[in-house]
Amino acid sequence: MVDERSRNGWFVWFSLLCALILSIAPIPEFLAVGRPLWLPLVIAYWLLMAPLRLGMTRVWLLGLAADLLYGTPLGQYALVLALVAFMVISLQQRLRMFPVWQQSLVLLVVFGLAQLLLLWLDSLSGNRPPSLAFLIPALVSALLWPWVFIVLHFCGRRLGVH
């Protein structure tokens, strides 16, 4: 008999790879300020719907891969993704009961705290001056959450991932 965890698990990793690619895809300069947090969005979805497929260690490793990809100091984005994963895992039972629009509001706070941590880490290293523009990606990501949820939920159900 096939192990339940191994059934179509490739789709989880494919969606995470797509999120990494979307994170570095070129966009016009005026839209770059509001670039969605694709990787935290997809990680939040999989931690909500199939928490056994993705754990803190895998999220940390994804964060290290993102650090290498973005050229940030090693561990910076890994720490931010670990914070997102911790908050989503700790709120998972409650979030699953909420409608998608309420999940979006909770994830706005989660992504906002992650962006605040990223801003703090960037300002410690002297890379970016503090401004309120760091909240724009969190807001855009929260607005995109219903669409990401619908697409991943449809594909995940179709492939039997959850």
Side-chain angles (χ1 to χ4, degrees):
M1 179 172 259
V2 178
D3 182 25
E4 184 66 30
R5 286 183 54 171
S6 67
R7 229 178 67 204
N8 290 331
W10 62 269
F11 180 69
V12 174
W13 295 106
F14 176 74
S15 64
L16 290 166
L17 179 65
C18 288
L20 273 172
I21 291 170
L22 283 171
S23 296
I24 61 167
I27 59 174
E29 188 64 36
F30 68 95
L31 293 176
V33 170
R35 179 185 291 271
L37 306 170
W38 291 111
L39 195 55
L41 273 169
V42 174
I43 286 173
Y45 175 79
W46 289 118
L47 287 174
L48 275 178
M49 301 311 290
L52 296 178
R53 298 241 179 226
L54 206 61
M56 289 295 283
T57 305
R58 290 178 181 163
V59 169
W60 181 264
L61 292 174
L62 277 168
L64 289 177
D67 283 329
L68 292 174
L69 192 62
Y70 303 152
T72 58
L74 197 60
Q76 179 176 336
Y77 209 70
L79 182 63
V80 170
L81 287 180
L83 173 71
V84 168
F86 173 75
M87 288 190 285
V88 170
I89 288 171
S90 61
L91 295 170
Q92 188 229 9
Q93 294 298 322
R94 291 183 198 137
L95 276 174
R96 286 186 62 133
M97 293 187 321
F98 292 163
V100 176
W101 69 271
Q102 283 181 340
Q103 289 175 0
S104 180
L105 293 175
V106 173
L107 288 175
L108 172 64
V109 174
V110 170
F111 296 149
L113 288 173
Q115 285 296 99
L116 184 62
L117 176 63
L118 193 61
L119 176 75
W120 180 66
L121 291 171
D122 275 347
S123 65
L124 282 178
S125 62
N127 289 339
R128 180 168 49 168
S131 71
L132 284 178
F134 76 93
L135 287 176
I136 295 173
L139 180 62
V140 170
S141 299
L143 291 173
L144 281 176
W145 171 252
W147 301 106
V148 170
F149 183 88
I150 288 168
V151 168
L152 288 176
H153 195 70
F154 175 77
C155 294
R157 287 282 181 197
R158 196 102 157 124
L159 293 170
V161 176
H162 349 66

